[in-house]
Amino acid sequence: RNHNIFPVMMLASARAPCSCSLSPPRCPPLRARGRARSVTTHASSVPVRRAILLGSAGAALGAGLAVPGSPISSGPALAAAAPKVDVGDVAPTFALPKAGGGKLALADALKESKFVVLYFYNQDFSPGCSVEAQRFQQSLTKFESKGAKIVGISMDPIDKHEEFCDKGGLTFPVLSDADGSVSAQYGAELSIPLLGKFSDRQTFLIDSAGTVKGHWLERDGSMANVKTTEHADQVLAKIDQVA
């Protein structure tokens, strides 16, 4: 048995230099590549999860992230798509049920006001959409002084709108586009696999003749920050420009 120990020890010692001298140059790149894959995967998944949790479904796609099973795989491709309704177009007419009862027709709103600020948002009670509604509410008197009527639209049902308006103290009309048909007409329909359909965050400024005078989209960066007063101020400035 003693004779067998020496060859084993010699073999171990013979392998040791190879392990130390040859492996190090090759191992670090392999570990680095492993870490890069891990970080990339984590970094790309965080915005998706954050966008979904915050209710900003449009941001998930607008960030240039692929959504599994979606026909739209990147933000740039989405942003490059021509809007269905844009500045200079005639705004599609509609009549939708509103929180508080009854219906609101775009034609009637345009008869009563010089402008209609029609904004589509993702869903009631999501943090981003809640703040956006509050910013419009806070600027309501400024819009009214310019003859502009604010109207919000999402695909949420009326009962959810009622609660949303009550808890948020919203006094402007909030309409239910339950089947998504009006959102689709305006190019503001957003479909995300496993999550369903939403209204895409977009704002249209429509004059009394029914012509779109301003159009802002969150996904292409033309819309200012909705969590501050920047977007409301942006729309107010446009009203001054085209009035």
Side-chain angles (χ1 to χ4, degrees), residues 13 16 22 24 27 29 36 42 56 67 117 122 128 131 134 141 153 172 174 181 195 207 220 222 230:
S13 62
L22 297 180
C27 292
H42 177 67
S56 183
V67 178
V117 178
N122 303 147
V131 174
Q134 288 300 316
T141 55
I153 296 182
F172 57 82
V174 177
S181 59
L195 295 179
D207 69 8
D220 70 0
S222 60
E230 290 180 20

Side-chain angles (χ1 to χ4, degrees), residues 172-190:
F172 57 82
V174 177
L175 312 184
S176 175
D177 181 25
D179 64 0
S181 59
V182 175
S183 299
Q185 278 184 296
Y186 277 80
E189 181 187 43
L190 182 66

Side-chain angles (χ1 to χ4, degrees), residues 106-129:
L106 177 61
D108 292 338
L110 292 174
K111 288 177 183 177
E112 300 168 357
S113 310
K114 294 179 181 178
F115 297 96
V116 167
V117 178
L118 181 67
Y119 85 96
F120 293 84
Y121 65 97
N122 303 147
Q123 60 183 357
D124 295 335
F125 296 109
S126 67
C129 296

Side-chain angles (χ1 to χ4, degrees), residues 28 48 53 69 71 141 152 156 185 203 207-208 231 236:
V48 173
L53 289 173
T141 55
D156 294 292
Q185 278 184 296
T203 301
D207 69 8
S208 58
H231 179 49
L236 287 165

Side-chain angles (χ1 to χ4, degrees), residues 31-185:
R31 289 197 297 269
R33 286 198 296 271
R35 286 196 299 272
R37 284 197 299 271
S38 176
V39 170
T40 300
T41 301
H42 177 67
S44 64
S45 64
V46 167
V48 173
R49 292 198 302 270
R50 182 182 298 124
I52 292 171
L53 289 173
L54 295 183
S56 183
L61 293 178
L65 304 171
V67 178
S70 173
I72 302 172
S73 60
S74 66
L78 181 62
K84 287 186 179 180
V85 177
D86 209 353
V87 174
D89 294 337
V90 175
T93 59
F94 61 82
L96 289 173
K98 63 178 181 176
K103 286 189 174 185
L104 177 68
L106 177 61
D108 292 338
L110 292 174
K111 288 177 183 177
E112 300 168 357
S113 310
K114 294 179 181 178
F115 297 96
V116 167
V117 178
L118 181 67
Y119 85 96
F120 293 84
Y121 65 97
N122 303 147
Q123 60 183 357
D124 295 335
F125 296 109
S126 67
C129 296
S130 297
V131 174
E132 180 182 22
Q134 288 300 316
R135 296 295 175 250
F136 276 122
Q137 181 67 38
Q138 290 168 2
S139 301
L140 189 60
T141 55
K142 294 180 181 179
F143 282 100
E144 290 175 342
S145 69
K146 298 177 186 297
K149 185 180 187 69
I150 296 174
V151 178
I153 296 182
S154 80
M155 296 187 194
D156 294 292
I158 281 295
D159 57 347
K160 193 174 179 183
H161 274 343
E162 298 277 4
E163 187 181 0
F164 183 60
C165 291
D166 288 345
K167 289 189 175 180
L170 306 181
T171 59
F172 57 82
V174 177
L175 312 184
S176 175
D177 181 25
D179 64 0
S181 59
V182 175
S183 299
Q185 278 184 296

